[in-house]
Amino acid sequence: FLDHGTIPLLGINSDPMSEEHKIVKKKKTDERTSHGALCACTAANMKGKLPRILHGGGILSTRSRIQCIVKSTFSETRLVPALNDLLIANPSPAAVSRFRMGSLKEVKEPTPSLGSMTDPSYLPKSQYGTVTRFGGKLYDVDNSLNVWSSGLWVSTGTGSSAAMAAAGGMPMDVTSDNLQYLIREHMIENAVNKNEMKDQNNALLKKGEKLHLRWNSQKG
């Protein structure tokens, strides 16, 4: 649904692989046709299926989406939630994406001492500086890691079978509440803690967990 659940969106595969083509080519799939993983019907059977769906014959299910907040010095931008995946990378595929990655943990708002209201030093420190704020709440960045790579994939269970799977990610149930991230082409050859960094290349984010990225490249 679009517009806060008021407008239904129905996917129709306009270029599916025909049964006749399967017999002639003896293939289950054809890369020249549309996969249509999220489509409810195809151009071949929409005449029979579409009326049934429009009159209540469809099966509704809940899918998780990705919420991304882009924070600058003076503002926060809440992006439209994504159903499949997000790619966070340099606009140029040949350029290196540099960022620091970690998990966000909410911390208690400290009580400043008298005279320190304008002094930011009373705030608790994270592993790489002061804590950060999102939506007015304080968060500490835990398990932070400097990354030089080709970017970062983040996907839902729905999107885990697409670009995430092609990049080497883990299979997920489409109804899962978890998210998955994968660092693309992580450059760790000369790292001292190579094995530790490799363990953080690909992992699941459980419901309620937050991933924090501090972008260190000029573009992205």
Side-chain angles (χ1 to χ4, degrees):
F1 289 88
L2 301 176
D3 195 24
H4 304 287
T6 60
I7 303 175
L9 178 66
L10 179 68
I12 300 175
N13 187 347
S14 60
D15 186 28
M17 185 176 183
S18 64
E19 293 299 325
E20 181 182 355
H21 200 181
K22 292 180 182 179
I23 296 173
V24 174
K25 295 293 184 179
K26 296 182 180 179
K27 294 174 64 178
K28 292 183 179 180
T29 59
D30 186 349
E31 294 78 10
R32 297 170 297 179
T33 60
S34 177
H35 181 52
L38 298 178
C39 294
C41 54
T42 69
N45 61 18
M46 63 176 290
K47 186 176 180 179
K49 283 192 173 184
L50 192 56
R52 290 201 299 269
I53 295 173
L54 293 178
H55 289 86
I59 300 175
L60 299 179
S61 61
T62 303
R63 300 287 182 94
S64 296
R65 294 196 290 174
I66 304 171
Q67 177 68 71
C68 181
I69 301 174
V70 180
K71 181 180 178 182
S72 60
T73 305
F74 301 107
S75 65
E76 288 183 10
T77 302
R78 189 178 293 266
L79 302 182
V80 176
L83 176 62
N84 286 332
D85 47 44
L86 293 175
L87 174 59
I88 304 169
N90 193 293
S92 172
V96 175
S97 296
R98 297 187 298 113
F99 55 88
R100 190 170 183 90
M101 181 185 76
S103 57
L104 285 181
K105 291 187 177 180
E106 190 172 351
V107 295
K108 186 178 180 181
E109 184 81 35
T111 303
S113 58
L114 185 63
S116 65
M117 291 296 292
T118 59
D119 182 8
S121 62
Y122 78 90
L123 293 173
K125 303 292 182 179
S126 70
Q127 289 187 8
Y128 65 92
T130 58
V131 295
T132 185
R133 288 182 184 270
F134 283 95
K137 296 181 179 180
L138 280 176
Y139 291 93
D140 187 19
V141 184
D142 193 26
N143 293 327
S144 58
L145 174 71
N146 274 321
V147 178
W148 286 53
S149 68
S150 296
L152 182 80
W153 278 113
V154 184
S155 82
T156 61
T158 303
S160 64
S161 61
M164 178 64 76
M170 298 177 284
M172 297 174 63
D173 189 282
V174 294
T175 61
S176 174
D177 289 333
N178 297 333
L179 300 179
Q180 179 180 178
Y181 75 82
L182 173 70
I183 301 175
R184 303 171 67 215
E185 300 174 322
H186 195 182
M187 293 186 287
I188 59 175
E189 290 80 7
N190 299 322
V192 177
N193 55 339
K194 184 187 298 184
N195 292 331
E196 181 182 343
M197 295 175 70
K198 190 179 294 184
D199 291 339
Q200 293 181 261
N201 272 351
N202 180 215
L204 296 177
L205 299 171
K206 296 182 180 179
K207 187 176 181 179
E209 292 183 337
K210 298 175 177 64
L211 186 67
H212 177 265
L213 264 70
R214 186 182 70 187
W215 192 251
N216 294 329
S217 295
Q218 289 185 342
K219 296 180 180 181

